[in-house]
Amino acid sequence: MNGISSTRTFLLILITLWLFAVKAQACDKTINIGTNERYWPPYVVLKNEYLTGLEINIIKTIFKDSPFCINFTLLPNSLRALEELKHGRIDLMFAASKTRQREVYAHFSEPYREEVMLLFQHTDSANISSLTQLFKQGFTTGVNRGSFLGHAFKALSDKYSKQIVLTADADKRFALLNKKRVDFVVDDALVANYFANKYTAVLPVEQVAPVNVNNVHFMMSKKTITLNEVNIINAHIVKNKAALKALFK
């Protein structure tokens, strides 16, 4: 009996060691994902120190069968997040627009979804037919701090910078619009639709075309992510395209 017991104990030890080895080999690398978003429904919602939402589900779907584990780090704002990525203190940011300035210090993945940025107004807002008219008439516009909304909007916002109200949180932008403390807001269509249901006085400016229609990417630090790792991530984006489309349905 002692011999059988010893054999069983030995086998259990071997199995335990094998399981630890498998677990250790499950990740070639842990990718540290930085975000300043805490309440950006339906994409990101922080609840009980746990990130949920559509964007989080997208990331988990893409990385599920990859050789990488993922870890999320909360940062105070988008400017701090970009600075941390630039210096390699975080590895990746999501929902990023590709710009020449950012390409100096970051790799960009293949696009994994499309972003449609719309202009929204209060029911009492003035009627306008273009962004140029909006700015020329002196109206204010709430915009997400750190967002790139296309070259046309950037030119207008640079020229009329005093009429741009930068905020870090979507909830704050739409609360300001609901209270008529800003005249208009530019935001992602899905985000805006969420808040339009919350604030019934908020609605899209249908006579103005989308401010920007843009592919979004993962933005990865050149200090910590290699081109080979970018290629692996791209392969998993392509592999999971059908699953990503299903998430939006």
Side-chain angles (χ1 to χ4, degrees), residues 91-92 105-109 218-222 225 230 233:
D91 305 309
L92 183 148
Y105 59 87
H107 302 300
F108 283 85
S109 73
F218 293 139
M219 183 164 62
M220 295 159 281
S221 175
K222 287 185 176 180
I225 302 293
V230 173
I233 291 168

Side-chain angles (χ1 to χ4, degrees), residues 61-107:
T61 298
I62 291 169
F63 282 94
K64 180 179 62 175
D65 297 322
S66 79
F68 308 116
C69 292
I70 55 173
N71 176 64
F72 290 96
T73 297
L74 286 169
L75 296 161
N77 54 61
S78 59
L79 295 178
R80 171 70 178 277
L82 289 168
E83 195 67 18
E84 294 292 290
L85 185 94
K86 187 184 296 185
H87 293 287
R89 291 189 285 266
I90 60 171
D91 305 309
L92 183 148
M93 290 173 65
F94 54 82
S97 298
K98 187 188 291 188
T99 67
R100 288 181 182 178
Q101 184 183 14
R102 292 173 176 179
E103 284 182 302
V104 172
Y105 59 87
H107 302 300

Side-chain angles (χ1 to χ4, degrees), residues 203-219:
L203 68 159
V205 184
E206 294 181 354
Q207 61 270 32
V208 174
V211 174
N212 196 39
V213 179
N214 183 46
N215 287 323
V216 298
H217 314 255
F218 293 139
M219 183 164 62

Side-chain angles (χ1 to χ4, degrees), residues 87-209:
H87 293 287
R89 291 189 285 266
I90 60 171
D91 305 309
L92 183 148
M93 290 173 65
F94 54 82
S97 298
K98 187 188 291 188
T99 67
R100 288 181 182 178
Q101 184 183 14
R102 292 173 176 179
E103 284 182 302
V104 172
Y105 59 87
H107 302 300
F108 283 85
S109 73
E110 291 292 316
Y112 63 88
R113 67 173 176 85
E114 189 178 71
E115 177 181 72
V116 180
M117 305 300 289
L118 301 178
L119 184 68
F120 282 75
Q121 66 180 64
H122 191 278
T123 51
D124 294 337
S125 297
N127 291 322
I128 57 147
S129 57
S130 70
L131 289 172
T132 303
Q133 183 187 2
L134 181 159
F135 286 110
K136 281 188 174 180
Q137 292 188 7
F139 297 122
T140 56
T141 304
V143 175
N144 183 31
R145 189 185 301 276
S147 285
F148 177 73
L149 301 173
H151 296 291
F153 188 86
K154 187 177 187 309
L156 286 169
S157 62
D158 287 346
K159 185 176 180 179
Y160 300 97
S161 58
K162 291 182 180 178
Q163 293 164 234
I164 298 292
V165 179
L166 296 173
T167 62
D169 302 314
D171 196 19
K172 184 175 181 180
R173 279 191 295 284
F174 284 96
L176 288 172
L177 182 60
N178 188 59
K179 294 173 182 176
K180 296 190 280 188
R181 292 182 182 172
V182 295
D183 301 304
F184 296 90
V185 158
V186 176
D187 219 310
D188 178 281
L190 290 185
V191 176
N193 284 333
Y194 175 90
F195 285 104
N197 288 327
K198 181 177 179 180
Y199 301 119
T200 55
V202 171
L203 68 159
V205 184
E206 294 181 354
Q207 61 270 32
V208 174

